[in-house]
Amino acid sequence: MSTDLAEQIFSPEEQQQLTAKIEKMAGHIQLVMPDSVDEAWQLVVRMEEQALIDSAKRGLIYLSIKSHSQHGEFDKKLKEYGIPRRNAFNAMAVSKMFLALPESKVQTSALLNMNKSKLIEMARLPVETVEALDEDDLETLNDLSVREFRKEIRKLKEKHTELEEQTATLINALENERLVKAPKQMYELPMLVAQVRQRAYSHSAIVNESLEEFIGLVEQLCTSRDLDPNHRVGGAQTTWHLWLGIQQRIGHMLNRLSDEFGAENLTGAEQIPHFAEDEWQDAQANREYMLAMFNDRIKTRE
């Protein structure tokens, strides 16, 4: 006789014994057995749906616990409570999928009607792949046997990998084309030189604006002698060390220029750079834009 319960044929006596055991176990777990087969099927379907919901709920709770746990603590607790690590991470994968999908896809009946094992397989797919499946695709997958389902999931994964490789190849080709076609000059200057000139003008405006603002704060800190001395010293220490670091980096940059090009080519009023009209307009527009962005951030912070 086959040991597979799905294929096993029971004699009337064995059926009676099995029924008695089921009813006894039902009493232990507070399960009220349905009166008919139809009612039993309805109950099982509801329980399957609830199992999916419970799995998603568990996943969300696991995610929350893991986000508030120190490194290694989550796995340690799983072992302590005797929870298989695979079960916890499968539940989290399902929850992550539902969290990442748009609301319309989450509410798709075919997706919600999948059994737990199929849903876990779906959760291992890239979210973009699941999003691309319509209702008919999901229903078709749901109707497949577990073996056929896994074959289709494998195909979807391979297709996603292939598309990723094609996308990467296309991006590389476009980037190479951009580099080949990139202009070599701007304002009749080499591109690097033009960018350095424009950005030096723009970024120095932000540094000056920020420095002016902070000089005002330092003046207030120095004159507010009614504040707690320790607090004032703390503010002074912070300002000193942070701005000293910036000063040192600026000094290193300027010394690097002086060593490379010679101080005689850099210092003095006669060495102040001159901008062509179109270069000046672009640099000024970029400077004003960066200042506006900076001031907007200051206003938002206040």
Side-chain angles (χ1 to χ4, degrees):
M1 183 178 290
S2 172
T3 56
D4 189 339
L5 190 60
E7 298 177 1
Q8 190 169 347
I9 300 175
F10 297 98
S11 67
E13 183 180 350
E14 288 173 330
Q15 288 181 3
Q16 187 176 2
Q17 291 175 354
L18 181 60
T19 300
K21 289 181 180 180
I22 291 175
E23 290 177 350
K24 184 177 180 180
M25 183 180 293
H28 289 319
I29 60 176
Q30 298 180 343
L31 171 65
V32 178
M33 292 299 293
D35 295 328
S36 67
V37 173
D38 287 340
E39 290 179 5
W41 274 116
Q42 293 174 16
L43 176 60
V44 166
V45 170
R46 289 198 300 272
M47 292 174 72
E48 288 289 347
E49 292 174 350
Q50 188 60 46
L52 171 60
I53 294 170
D54 289 341
S55 179
K57 286 180 179 178
R58 287 203 325 276
L60 290 173
I61 295 172
Y62 280 136
L63 287 172
S64 176
I65 293 172
K66 196 171 188 300
S67 68
H68 292 89
S69 299
Q70 298 296 326
H71 179 70
E73 184 182 356
F74 184 73
D75 285 344
K76 181 180 177 182
K77 284 292 185 182
L78 289 176
K79 291 181 181 178
E80 181 181 328
Y81 290 115
I83 301 172
R85 188 176 188 274
R86 183 181 181 84
N87 291 1
F89 278 80
N90 281 342
M92 286 192 289
V94 172
S95 293
K96 286 179 180 178
M97 180 182 69
F98 280 129
L99 288 172
L101 289 173
E103 186 68 22
S104 58
K105 188 67 69 175
V106 172
Q107 293 177 349
T108 300
S109 58
L111 191 60
L112 292 176
N113 288 336
M114 282 188 179
N115 64 38
K116 183 179 174 182
S117 61
K118 287 185 177 181
L119 198 61
I120 290 171
E121 293 288 342
M122 290 287 292
R124 291 175 180 149
L125 286 173
V127 173
E128 300 84 359
T129 302
V130 181
E131 283 184 333
L133 299 174
D134 59 24
E135 179 76 8
D136 292 336
D137 295 330
L138 292 170
E139 286 183 356
T140 301
L141 286 171
N142 201 17
D143 291 337
L144 296 176
S145 67
V146 174
R147 179 177 295 181
E148 292 172 331
F149 179 85
R150 286 176 176 167
K151 284 183 180 178
E152 291 301 317
I153 291 297
R154 195 178 303 115
K155 289 179 183 177
L156 287 171
K157 287 180 180 178
E158 291 171 354
K159 184 177 180 181
H160 178 79
T161 302
E162 183 181 345
L163 287 174
E164 279 189 330
E165 291 173 352
Q166 290 176 357
T167 302
T169 302
L170 179 60
I171 290 173
N172 288 334
L174 291 173
E175 180 64 13
N176 290 334
E177 184 180 1
R178 184 189 69 80
L179 292 174
V180 170
K181 293 183 177 180
K184 300 295 188 294
Q185 285 194 334
M186 186 165 59
Y187 316 121
E188 299 183 358
L189 294 170
M191 184 60 68
L192 174 61
V193 175
Q195 289 177 338
V196 168
R197 284 165 59 89
Q198 185 183 92
R199 292 179 186 179
Y201 183 71
S202 303
H203 285 266
S204 64
I206 301 300
V207 175
N208 284 331
E209 187 83 8
S210 180
L211 185 58
E212 284 297 326
E213 180 202 10
F214 219 84
I215 287 173
L217 292 175
V218 169
E219 285 296 327
Q220 293 180 48
L221 183 66
C222 292
T223 57
S224 300
R225 298 184 176 87
D226 56 329
L227 297 177
D228 183 285
N230 291 329
H231 292 165
R232 293 176 69 223
V233 170
Q237 290 170 337
T238 304
T239 304
W240 176 271
H241 286 284
L242 293 181
W243 281 97
L244 180 63
I246 295 172
Q247 180 190 25
Q248 290 173 341
R249 293 180 67 187
I250 293 175
H252 175 76
M253 177 179 66
L254 296 179
N255 288 334
R256 181 77 176 86
L257 292 173
S258 179
D259 292 342
E260 180 67 26
F261 301 103
E264 69 279 5
N265 292 317
L266 302 174
T267 59
E270 67 277 9
Q271 308 300 351
I272 294 176
H274 298 280
F275 289 77
E277 184 62 28
D278 55 347
E279 184 185 11
W280 172 258
Q281 290 177 355
D282 288 347
Q284 182 68 18
N286 193 42
R287 181 185 180 102
E288 290 174 358
Y289 171 77
M290 293 184 68
L291 281 172
M293 293 291 290
F294 173 80
N295 289 325
D296 283 345
R297 286 198 296 270
I298 295 298
K299 291 176 182 177
T300 302
R301 187 182 66 193
E302 293 174 348

